[in-house]
Amino acid sequence: MCLLALVLWCTLYCCHGRQVDIEAAKVVQQLHKLASFSDDPFPAVTRVLYTEADMQARQYVKSLMELEDLKVREDAMGNIFGTWQGSDPSLGAVLTGSHCDAIPLAGMYDGTVGVIGAIEALAALKRAGFKPKRNLAVMMFTSEEPTRFKLSCLGSRAMSGALTADVLDAKPDDNGTSFLQAANAVGYGAESHAAVLEASRTPKGSVDYFVELHIEQGPLLEQEGLDIGVVTAIAAPAALEVKFQGDGGHAGAQLMPLRNDAGLAGAELALAVEAHTLATGAMDTVGTTGIFELSPNAINSVPKEARLAIDVRDINGPRRDKVVQAILDSAQSLATKRQVKFEAQMINQDPPTRCADSIQQAIVAAARGLGLTTKHMVSRAYHDSLFMARIAPTGMIFIPCKGGFSHRPDEFASEKDISNGVGVLALTMAQLSEGAWPDSRDEL
């Protein structure tokens, strides 16, 4: 038991001999507690925006912030902030955070490590006697996942001005409830979507840096035996919906030469998505037909309608958009070939972003000071950092996750890796804050 206690309490040192104690066992315990707020039993986590489970998680996160004497506030979107005031609050803050909502049947580490771990990072700096110059702040973003309103990163989009009222107006949930109605029902919101967005916009100059801690959601760090991923760029998706419509008919009575099968047009387009993506020759370009629905969806009926939802991602915006155009061109030619009607709609087409060199350098310095190995890498998954980069210089810290698995119940990050990530985050924020350590006249 004593040996276990030693393992669970990890003491880390920065390159200048600064000591930061990360209470890793506490972080893991809090992650397990957070996972209990779920619509599905453990180890699965289902936590959809503004549901009872989400509201319980929000209350828990706020209670952890308050325990560390952070000043808690919430905006109209439901973004939650916990701030440690620095010696010069006139400067922009060093902000960190992630999300706690979870798609159905997800795991307990996606996003949450960057919230619970961030609270511990600030707590560790406090215990070490660090005095920040800039404010240090932790936040929990509202609805990074697109589960309820079919649009990801609602909180960070609102903060950065990348979300408009007409977009929210056009995106009710599956029950017809608007974002405004859902937000107002749980104590957030305002009199209109426009008012919500105006109240949630980040004031210019209020944030100087943003850093997000996250599990990799891929296998590279684990496969290469490396500790920390230093993210250089964040890929962004272009999401589109394509519909084909034919005449349908009886599967036995309608002769093959007379068919205009919408399902076959859809099947060929799904293959075209793969072909156009691979044709770039770039590992960073990925394309997915994530939804393929047929109607009337009966074994004895020729498909009359096909609906495909397609996701194309890349860190290179123009290259991604060429793939999207090639897919649209293929859809048009397949509609002609199969004699079906065709329509397409862009759902979103956000630009990718590059992480700030200054933050990458700070992350590397912190990791080296802790004796940790690093890898510069791109993030192929979507994160709130994509939109925070529109507000301030932004960076991301990745830690390994078992098998690279994410968005499933067996998602896992070890206590050691969590501790490493929290330690690197703490020292990165300390450096960006330009504060002072005890018994030192020099700023960090």
Side-chain angles (χ1 to χ4, degrees), residues 50 75-78 158 163-170 178-185 188-201:
Y50 297 153
D75 66 19
M77 291 289 293
L163 184 60
T164 60
D166 59 327
V167 169
L168 283 180
D169 290 342
S178 71
F179 178 87
L180 184 66
Q181 290 170 326
N184 284 339
Y188 298 120
E191 66 273 12
S192 66
H193 281 140
V196 170
L197 296 176
E198 178 64 27
S200 303
R201 184 75 181 266

Side-chain angles (χ1 to χ4, degrees), residues 210-213 231 234 355-356 359-360 363 385 392-397:
F210 179 77
V211 190
E212 183 172 5
L213 172 64
V231 177
I234 304 169
C355 294
I359 299 183
Q360 292 183 52
I363 294 169
S385 289
T394 291
M396 291 194 72
I397 300 166

Side-chain angles (χ1 to χ4, degrees), residues 295-309:
S295 178
N297 198 31
I299 192 172
N300 62 345
S301 182
V302 177
K304 182 178 181 178
E305 297 177 352
R307 183 178 79 90
L308 294 81

Side-chain angles (χ1 to χ4, degrees), residues 147-150 167-181 193:
T147 312
R148 183 166 184 181
F149 292 101
K150 308 302 183 289
V167 169
L168 283 180
D169 290 342
K171 289 189 176 295
D173 68 10
D174 290 339
N175 296 318
T177 303
S178 71
F179 178 87
L180 184 66
Q181 290 170 326
H193 281 140

Side-chain angles (χ1 to χ4, degrees), residues 65-98:
M65 290 178 173
E66 290 167 350
L67 282 174
E68 302 302 340
D69 293 324
L70 303 179
K71 183 179 180 180
V72 178
R73 73 174 181 88
E74 299 171 272
D75 66 19
M77 291 289 293
N79 293 314
I80 301 171
F81 303 83
T83 301
W84 176 14
Q85 184 168 302
S87 61
D88 189 352
S90 67
L91 299 173
V94 181
L95 180 62
T96 186
S98 194

Side-chain angles (χ1 to χ4, degrees), residues 201-235:
R201 184 75 181 266
T202 300
K204 186 176 181 180
S206 63
V207 177
D208 277 354
Y209 301 99
F210 179 77
V211 190
E212 183 172 5
L213 172 64
H214 209 281
I215 60 171
E216 181 192 348
Q217 297 182 292
L220 298 182
L221 291 174
E222 182 184 59
Q223 288 177 354
E224 298 177 28
L226 300 173
D227 300 312
I228 296 293
V230 184
V231 177
T232 58
I234 304 169

Side-chain angles (χ1 to χ4, degrees), residues 321-342:
D321 294 343
K322 286 181 180 179
V323 173
V324 171
Q325 187 58 54
I327 292 169
L328 292 172
D329 291 343
S330 288
Q332 180 66 69
S333 63
L334 288 167
T336 301
K337 171 186 173 182
R338 293 283 178 181
Q339 298 181 26
V340 295
K341 296 178 182 178
F342 148 73

